[in-house]
Amino acid sequence: MGDKGKVKIDVSNVSKTFIGEYGQKIEALRNVSFKVYEGEFLTVVGPSGCGKTTLLKIIAGLEKPDEGYVKIDGKIVGGPVSGLGYIPQEFSLFPWRTVVENIEFGLEVNGVPKAERKRIVKRLIGLVGLEGFEKSFPKELSGGMKQKVAIARALAIDPIVLLLDEPFANLDAQTRSYMQREFLRIWHEHRKTVIFVTHHIEEAIYLADRIILLSSRPGRVKMELKINLPRPRIVTSPEFVNVRAKLLKELEEDFIKTFNM
């Protein structure tokens, strides 16, 4: 996927400045522009504090840009986008609800009949591999299982776009690697348009059709890189290592420039 076709998301000249605790201006994003195509898996990487989360919130309609705009399916985003799946870094599960009840929450809010909810949730439980844990509460689940519940909950509403903000950052290395493979499997089945924010270069290369590299704050698009490596990708292959070196070089140059300012 990722070949140019229908534009699903159009981010155009987006800038955002916040006022800090002591009244200082903090410029998070400056003139950020890129397009995301139908069914594409796009990852966004960049140094800490470069505005990745702010960008995701603007796309979701949870923050308003000071300048520029975001369009989804040709319509300008002016507030929270209906039918959009957003998965934050924290699991954000309801501790008093079981796995099934967490997954069906969005369906309940949307007034989906109980029988239909049960059918959708049963299919998703199978998709993410949580059979046998339907009645478990979040405190009884591992980190990877909690993230599977979050993914299933986002998919339950059949979202037009999936936005993920460093969803695997709090997992141990082995679980993170497993969840990357699992999420790609799920994406291959559903073919949703995905924007996946991460600070982990190898994760970005392993997952993406295309990578957007943001500069240090204020975040600007420093590079767009199409990843032509066949899946499943081998992180030790020379081709993978070359892409990683290219991205790390750009990040290091940006860090040195910022450090010497």
Side-chain angles (χ1 to χ4, degrees), residues 116-129:
E116 180 68 3
R117 293 203 309 264
K118 287 182 67 175
R119 185 189 67 78
I120 292 170
V121 171
K122 183 178 181 180
R123 178 178 61 81
L124 289 171
I125 288 282
L127 178 69
V128 300

Side-chain angles (χ1 to χ4, degrees), residues 138-155:
K139 67 180 181 181
E140 300 170 318
L141 304 176
S142 67
M145 287 179 175
K146 290 176 185 176
Q147 201 56 275
K148 285 186 173 186
V149 176
I151 291 168
R153 183 173 64 181
L155 289 172

Side-chain angles (χ1 to χ4, degrees), residues 48-59:
S48 295
C50 73
K52 298 187 294 294
T53 295
T54 298
L55 175 62
L56 215 60
K57 288 182 176 179
I58 289 173
I59 293 170

Side-chain angles (χ1 to χ4, degrees), residues 242-259:
N242 286 340
V243 174
R244 180 176 178 272
K246 185 174 184 178
L247 284 167
L248 286 174
K249 182 173 182 291
E250 291 292 331
L251 279 170
E252 185 176 346
E253 287 177 358
D254 198 48
F255 175 79
I256 291 172
K257 186 187 299 181
T258 303
F259 187 77

Side-chain angles (χ1 to χ4, degrees), residues 34-170:
F34 60 89
K35 291 177 172 59
V36 189
Y37 299 92
E38 183 85 52
E40 183 175 24
F41 198 128
L42 182 90
T43 57
V44 179
V45 297
S48 295
C50 73
K52 298 187 294 294
T53 295
T54 298
L55 175 62
L56 215 60
K57 288 182 176 179
I58 289 173
I59 293 170
L62 303 176
E63 294 274 2
K64 291 187 177 180
D66 298 328
E67 298 177 12
Y69 62 81
V70 174
K71 289 182 179 179
I72 297 180
D73 287 330
K75 298 178 181 179
I76 290 181
V77 173
V81 179
S82 177
L84 184 145
Y86 186 96
I87 302 177
Q89 184 171 333
E90 300 300 326
F91 301 119
S92 299
L93 302 180
F94 299 116
W96 59 89
R97 296 178 72 112
T98 65
V99 166
V100 165
E101 290 166 346
N102 265 287
I103 294 172
E104 70 179 1
F105 175 74
L107 300 172
E108 287 181 19
V109 171
N110 291 337
V112 176
K114 186 175 181 179
E116 180 68 3
R117 293 203 309 264
K118 287 182 67 175
R119 185 189 67 78
I120 292 170
V121 171
K122 183 178 181 180
R123 178 178 61 81
L124 289 171
I125 288 282
L127 178 69
V128 300
L130 284 173
E131 297 95 335
F133 294 92
E134 291 88 346
K135 295 181 180 180
S136 299
F137 290 92
K139 67 180 181 181
E140 300 170 318
L141 304 176
S142 67
M145 287 179 175
K146 290 176 185 176
Q147 201 56 275
K148 285 186 173 186
V149 176
I151 291 168
R153 183 173 64 181
L155 289 172
I157 61 170
D158 193 23
I160 55 174
V161 171
L162 268 178
L163 305 178
L164 300 97
D165 188 4
E166 301 197 40
F168 307 147
N170 294 324

